[in-house]
Amino acid sequence: MRDLSRGGLEHLSLNWATVREKWDLGQTIDGCARQGLRGIAPWREPVQALGVEEAGRRIRDAGLRVSGYCRAGLFPAADAAGLRAAIDETRRAVDEAAALGAECLVILGGGMPPGSKDLALARGQARDGIAAVLPHARAAGVPLAIEPLHPMYAADRCCVTTLKQANDLCDELDPDGEGSLGVAIDVYHVFWDPELEQEVKRAGAARIFAFHVCDWLVPTRDLLLDRGMMGDGVIDIPRIRGLVEDAGYDGLIEVEIFSRLDWWRRDPDEVIRVIAQRYRSVV
Amino acid sequence: MRDLSRGGLEHLSLNWATVREKWDLGQTIDGCARQGLRGIAPWREPVQALGVEEAGRRIRDAGLRVSGYCRAGLFPAADAAGLRAAIDETRRAVDEAAALGAECLVILGGGMPPGSKDLALARGQARDGIAAVLPHARAAGVPLAIEPLHPMYAADRCCVTTLKQANDLCDELDPDGEGSLGVAIDVYHVFWDPELEQEVKRAGAARIFAFHVCDWLVPTRDLLLDRGMMGDGVIDIPRIRGLVEDAGYDGLIEVEIFSRLDWWRRDPDEVIRVIAQRYRSVV
């Protein structure tokens, strides 16, 4: 397990959503570079606003790696045309991720389409969508990272609710483990899982493409936008980082905090300073 | 699978918490009887307020079954004395459940004690607590129903987050399956689970002691108190009831809705009328 307490911030990456209410992508690139971070995880909207080529150029000029590109997938749809549209959109996201030099494209399973109560159907569509995009991703050299989300998002955001499900999809769709399909592990989404240890081991270095941190607050006041700063909640982050690094992961540690009530209201430079301090002490 | 659309409400039970803001236990007993329900699930606080013997007498006089007694367990504690206190408290709840003639006592695993980030420790304490209470429950003839709660309650309410975990506890602590240890299955807590079907089958008739319904709203505005009326959300309730009844469950269907923003504000007689209508049409 890496010692983060000393030295620089060489494994730290900032997900743009953490500062989204105050900074556009350009400001976020500059802020990360200014404070010594080594990575950034941009979202599609601000990348498209800046222009993909320009965004890639500025990120490279700042010396930042792209720990992940957020986000695509979200396949389940009410009809075949909807599913095709989601597949096409995800292929475009692959192209953007390639232009940015992203280390992976984050894939969310998606929730049930409006009116549906059929989670099994949604899960089947997520599988079919990933299978349809995978050849294009391989050709573009962009690894797809399936991110299981917390089960509280099963209905409307992500039918892939456990790391086991994500690993099962990898086994099924990429049986040879060529490095084109893997998982993104976010402590917020998986810390509750009784099978976390075995499933992290099962994923292993070959399939863990990203590692995200934040914290689970007690109480949590909003299902989506009340994530905590590392150290302010109840997740044993070092334990989970230990599992992930013992499995062989040596990539960036990405901080992704949706916090309408707290961190989104603060000066992003202050937010990054706190992140850096917590990175050294509680991650 | 039973046909609920015709005939009376012979399989319907009301959890007191559904009307808790307007009715005490006496009013709830009267209301259930008045509207033709066959069961009630009281909580400890209103039972103690009325007196256990008096509560039992009035429930029996009203011709109601007690589908479950809520609730005990909540074992994890900061020290051994705290765990012992939770065990003692749960033994008292067993005695109350026996006096009420309850068909089971609902057991929650409990969350992590304040300051702890050790879910594995909490899970071990939940296991030890159930093991410690089980002989007393057997002697009293009160089945213990372990209720897995949704993973969004893992930190502060219930470290038992999946039906698989509950089944594993049953296998470990009651290997002979004498009917003294089983599970309570609430659609709200388990609908997201990719392993639901296999784990319901695994529990089987011998271990499914209770079946609870409500619905998952999109959006859900509060982690605890925004459950929906059956039919207003996205849970495929008939599918899950089918799994449970195909496994052999033929007990009461208990409605438990925490709804600070909606149903708790309404006249309980109206709430029960809507429940009865939904019971016949969407459950």
Side-chain angles (χ1 to χ4, degrees):
Chain A
M1 191 169 166
R2 297 174 288 190
D3 179 5
L4 307 179
S5 67
R6 283 180 277 196
L9 304 172
E10 60 263 36
H11 307 300
L12 182 57
S13 176
L14 181 73
N15 187 298
W16 166 78
T18 307
V19 296
R20 62 180 291 168
E21 297 301 306
K22 302 278 189 182
W23 277 356
D24 63 20
L25 184 58
Q27 291 170 300
T28 308
I29 293 166
D30 294 343
C32 287
R34 186 166 60 240
Q35 297 212 36
L37 276 60
R38 297 297 176 86
I40 190 170
W43 285 51
R44 296 189 71 198
E45 296 78 0
V47 165
Q48 291 167 352
L50 192 59
V52 178
E53 297 305 324
E54 172 72 6
R57 188 187 61 74
R58 290 180 63 170
I59 290 170
R60 283 188 296 276
D61 286 352
L64 298 171
R65 293 161 59 184
V66 175
S67 56
Y69 187 43
C70 295
R71 57 188 189 175
L74 304 157
F75 297 107
D79 55 29
L83 177 56
R84 275 197 306 274
I87 290 167
D88 289 344
E89 193 59 44
T90 301
R91 287 189 181 124
R92 281 191 286 277
V94 166
D95 296 336
E96 294 163 17
L100 294 171
E103 298 180 5
C104 64
L105 171 64
V106 173
I107 298 290
L108 298 190
M112 295 180 281
S116 170
K117 300 185 180 188
D118 194 338
L119 255 181
L121 179 66
R123 286 167 171 159
Q125 290 180 317
R127 177 214 166 276
D128 293 347
I130 295 167
V133 172
L134 193 54
H136 186 72
R138 279 187 183 128
V142 173
L144 301 181
I146 304 170
E147 182 171 17
L149 296 197
H150 194 284
M152 68 184 171
Y153 307 121
D156 54 345
R157 281 187 172 73
C158 188
C159 56
V160 180
T161 49
T162 63
L163 187 53
K164 178 175 193 296
Q165 268 183 288
N167 280 334
D168 286 348
L169 285 166
C170 291
D171 280 352
E172 179 185 353
L173 301 177
D174 184 42
D176 300 328
E178 301 170 35
S180 51
L181 189 61
V183 299
I185 297 176
D186 185 317
V187 297
Y188 193 77
H189 297 305
V190 303
F191 81 97
W192 61 273
D193 187 348
E195 301 184 347
L196 181 59
E197 185 169 346
Q198 70 201 60
E199 292 297 328
V200 169
K201 283 181 186 162
R202 179 182 164 202
R207 281 197 168 142
I208 303 175
F209 293 167
F211 178 58
H212 302 174
V213 295
C214 65
D215 214 334
W216 181 280
L217 298 177
V218 174
T220 291
R221 298 158 292 179
D222 185 282
L223 265 76
L224 187 61
L225 303 179
D226 196 27
R227 299 190 188 187
M229 176 64 65
M230 298 79 73
D232 290 346
V234 299
I235 302 178
D236 187 347
I237 301 172
R239 174 183 168 264
I240 300 177
R241 182 167 71 85
L243 294 177
V244 167
E245 295 187 6
D246 287 350
Y249 181 76
D250 62 359
L252 289 163
I253 298 165
E254 179 181 318
V255 175
E256 185 181 33
I257 302 173
F258 303 161
S259 171
R260 187 174 52 192
L261 300 167
D262 189 349
W263 299 98
W264 279 0
R265 296 182 179 185
R266 304 201 197 189
D267 169 23
D269 272 307
E270 178 205 345
V271 174
I272 296 177
R273 277 193 297 273
V274 175
I275 286 171
Q277 185 265 324
R278 301 293 175 90
Y279 166 87
R280 291 191 171 99
S281 58
V282 300
V283 169
Chain B
M1 193 170 165
R2 297 174 289 189
D3 179 3
L4 306 180
S5 67
R6 284 181 277 196
L9 305 171
E10 61 263 35
H11 307 301
L12 182 56
S13 177
L14 182 73
N15 188 298
W16 167 78
T18 307
V19 295
R20 63 181 291 168
E21 297 300 307
K22 302 278 190 181
W23 277 356
D24 62 20
L25 185 58
Q27 292 170 298
T28 309
I29 293 167
D30 294 344
C32 287
R34 186 166 61 239
Q35 297 211 35
L37 274 62
R38 298 297 177 83
I40 189 169
W43 284 51
R44 296 189 72 196
E45 297 78 2
V47 164
Q48 291 166 352
L50 193 59
V52 178
E53 298 304 325
E54 172 72 6
R57 188 187 62 72
R58 290 178 65 170
I59 291 171
R60 283 189 296 277
D61 287 353
L64 298 171
R65 293 161 59 183
V66 174
S67 57
Y69 187 43
C70 295
R71 57 188 189 174
L74 303 157
F75 297 107
D79 54 27
L83 177 56
R84 275 197 305 275
I87 290 168
D88 289 343
E89 194 59 45
T90 301
R91 288 189 181 123
R92 282 191 285 277
V94 166
D95 296 336
E96 294 163 15
L100 294 171
E103 298 180 5
C104 65
L105 172 64
V106 174
I107 298 289
L108 298 189
M112 294 180 282
S116 170
K117 300 184 180 189
D118 194 338
L119 254 181
L121 179 65
R123 286 167 171 158
Q125 290 180 317
R127 177 214 167 277
D128 293 346
I130 294 167
V133 172
L134 193 53
H136 185 71
R138 280 188 182 127
V142 173
L144 301 181
I146 304 170
E147 183 170 16
L149 296 196
H150 193 285
M152 69 184 171
Y153 305 122
D156 54 345
R157 281 187 171 74
C158 190
C159 56
V160 180
T161 49
T162 62
L163 186 53
K164 179 173 192 297
Q165 270 183 287
N167 280 333
D168 286 348
L169 285 166
C170 291
D171 279 353
E172 179 185 355
L173 301 177
D174 183 42
D176 300 328
E178 302 170 34
S180 51
L181 190 61
V183 299
I185 298 176
D186 187 316
V187 298
Y188 193 77
H189 297 305
V190 303
F191 80 98
W192 62 272
D193 186 348
E195 299 184 349
L196 182 59
E197 185 169 345
Q198 70 201 60
E199 292 298 328
V200 169
K201 284 181 185 161
R202 178 182 165 204
R207 282 198 168 141
I208 303 175
F209 293 167
F211 178 57
H212 302 174
V213 295
C214 65
D215 214 334
W216 181 280
L217 298 176
V218 175
T220 291
R221 298 159 292 179
D222 185 282
L223 265 76
L224 187 61
L225 303 179
D226 196 27
R227 298 191 189 188
M229 176 65 65
M230 298 80 71
D232 290 347
V234 300
I235 301 178
D236 187 347
I237 301 172
R239 174 183 167 264
I240 300 177
R241 182 167 72 84
L243 294 176
V244 167
E245 296 188 4
D246 287 350
Y249 180 76
D250 61 0
L252 290 163
I253 297 165
E254 179 182 318
V255 175
E256 185 180 32
I257 303 173
F258 304 161
S259 172
R260 188 174 53 192
L261 300 167
D262 189 349
W263 299 98
W264 279 359
R265 297 181 178 185
R266 303 202 198 187
D267 169 23
D269 273 307
E270 178 205 345
V271 174
I272 296 178
R273 277 193 296 274
V274 175
I275 285 171
Q277 185 265 324
R278 301 293 175 88
Y279 166 87
R280 291 191 171 99
S281 58
V282 300
V283 170

